[in-house]
Amino acid sequence: MFSFFRKKPPTPPEPAPVPAAPAPVTAAAPVAAPAPTPVVVVPAPVAPPAAEPRKGWLDKLKAGLRKTGSSIATVFTGTQIDDALYEELETALLMADTGVKATEHLLADLKKRVKDNKTTDPAAVKGLLAEAIADLLTPLQKRLVIGEHKPTVIMVAGVNGAGKTTSIGKLTRHLANEGATVLLAAADTFRAAAREQLAVWADRNTVEIITQEGGDPAAVSFDAVSAGKARGRDVVLVDTAGRLPTQLHLMEELKKIKRVVQKADGTAPHEVLLVIDGNTGQNALMQVKAFDEALGLTGLVITKLDGTAKGGVICAIAREKPVPIYFIGVGEKLEDLETFDAKEFAQALLN
């Protein structure tokens, strides 16, 4: 499995004491304890044993984006680079949910690259487009940091059906596998199925869960953060109720949860993640804007980039609301959730 985590370095054994001559006893100055070493979620170094699992995941991503890639690839089957090629590419990008602003940016960037490289082969333009997309998406490539705060409180939001609770379960497994202690907060108290689903993940991952049937979501979140601090847990993951950004009263409840979490820990939440269904097209961009305005997002998880996903909306997000993308998912299995890499995504999009 491609690791998200870099463990804290082990403490080296102290050298055996060397006998010394007795010395006069004096008061020793207090020595400050060393600061804890943050644990950062980063890709593991590329090594032969990890290459095959990563390659298998990339194959799934390419398969999920094949529909988009095929429609764009047909643009470069002509014999010359002219206005007709760029017009066809513009249409293909818009159909892939790239959005007007990102499409205009990519076309302008591509034309410059073609001119600078003196490219005359339409097939070579495809590679230049992949480079342009990778450069556009690189600012979104960021790693989730765990360990600067204890516990690191992660609040997770998203609309119903986006895969929010499943993503929390997968992230919990990755954290637990790397030795982090995790506490889950089932703050989606209105939907029994959500609590049950999260409880299954808690049991599967052997982690604790704070839940309350019919309780107040903010109260459950407060109790979870307080318990995480008292029990010395590394991470507290708060699963909030799924909702549409147009449901204003429910969005206000999300704001309340954030305020209450801050009362339990003045530095929290340390991360506010939004889970987005990769099949929702330009609606995904609207969700990012609405949830960011309400909560101040720190990162995104893009799910379901398999089957009918177009994927171009990530370019729109990069151009219009550049919130970092921590993870992308291509299926239901644990190994189907991976860290986001701009270059890999661009290559998969144009496979």
Side-chain angles (χ1 to χ4, degrees), residues 139-141 272 288 292 297-300 317-318 321-326:
L140 303 187
Q141 186 177 306
V272 181
V288 174
D292 183 59
L297 299 176
T298 61
L300 303 176
I317 291 171
K321 198 65 178 177
V323 178
I325 299 174
Y326 288 144

Side-chain angles (χ1 to χ4, degrees), residues 34-103:
T37 304
V39 181
V40 184
V41 179
V42 295
V46 177
E52 285 305 314
R54 184 69 174 180
K55 182 178 182 300
W57 182 82
L58 286 172
D59 289 341
K60 289 185 178 180
L61 180 60
K62 289 178 180 179
L65 298 174
R66 184 168 295 148
K67 184 177 181 180
T68 302
S70 298
S71 63
I72 295 177
T74 57
V75 174
F76 304 107
T77 57
T79 58
Q80 58 183 344
I81 302 172
D82 53 16
D83 290 343
L85 182 146
Y86 289 118
E87 288 176 6
E88 289 180 26
L89 179 57
E90 179 180 20
T91 301
L93 290 172
L94 291 173
M95 291 296 292
D97 291 326
T98 303
V100 174
K101 292 183 179 179
T103 297

Side-chain angles (χ1 to χ4, degrees), residues 91-332:
T91 301
L93 290 172
L94 291 173
M95 291 296 292
D97 291 326
T98 303
V100 174
K101 292 183 179 179
T103 297
E104 291 175 347
H105 169 82
L106 289 172
L107 287 175
D109 189 2
L110 179 62
K111 289 177 181 178
K112 183 177 184 303
R113 291 172 189 266
V114 170
K115 181 179 180 181
D116 292 344
N117 288 275
K118 297 180 173 58
T119 305
T120 57
D121 181 7
V125 179
K126 180 180 175 182
L128 295 178
L129 177 60
E131 293 177 6
I133 293 175
D135 286 349
L136 174 62
L137 299 182
T138 294
L140 303 187
Q141 186 177 306
K142 185 179 177 183
R143 301 303 179 229
L144 180 63
V145 176
I146 301 295
E148 289 184 348
H149 302 275
K150 190 168 183 177
T152 297
V153 180
I154 303 175
M155 183 176 168
V156 186
V159 304
N160 285 322
K164 174 173 53 64
T165 303
T166 300
S167 296
I168 290 174
K170 291 177 182 178
L171 182 55
T172 299
R173 172 64 68 85
H174 285 296
L175 291 165
N177 283 350
E178 295 296 339
T181 54
V182 182
L183 180 67
L184 299 178
D188 187 353
T189 59
F190 301 113
R191 194 165 62 94
R195 297 195 307 275
E196 294 170 0
Q197 184 182 6
L198 197 65
V200 168
W201 278 106
D203 182 64
R204 190 180 299 172
N205 297 322
T206 321
V207 300
E208 297 172 291
I209 183 171
I210 302 296
T211 184
Q212 188 181 107
E213 184 176 356
D216 179 64
V220 172
S221 304
F222 181 90
D223 290 345
V225 175
S226 300
K229 292 175 65 178
R231 301 173 190 178
R233 299 297 177 259
D234 295 313
V235 179
V236 175
L237 277 165
V238 181
D239 182 18
T240 63
R243 64 209 59 213
L244 295 172
T246 53
Q247 297 171 310
L248 299 182
H249 63 294
L250 295 179
M251 293 296 282
E252 288 299 321
E253 183 184 280
L254 278 180
K255 296 178 184 179
K256 178 184 175 183
I257 291 175
K258 184 178 180 180
R259 291 195 301 268
V260 171
V261 164
Q262 289 171 337
K263 291 181 180 179
D265 183 337
T267 66
H270 307 107
E271 296 283 351
V272 181
L273 307 185
L274 178 66
V275 179
I276 297 173
D277 182 341
N279 295 296
T280 54
Q282 286 295 299
N283 189 41
L285 176 60
M286 295 172 58
Q287 291 176 27
V288 174
K289 290 180 177 180
F291 279 93
D292 183 59
E293 182 179 353
L295 299 173
L297 299 176
T298 61
L300 303 176
V301 180
I302 313 293
T303 65
K304 305 182 182 181
L305 286 173
D306 53 343
T308 61
K310 295 182 179 180
V313 69
I314 293 182
C315 296
I317 291 171
R319 191 63 182 167
E320 300 185 47
K321 198 65 178 177
V323 178
I325 299 174
Y326 288 144
F327 309 108
I328 57 177
V330 295
E332 294 296 322

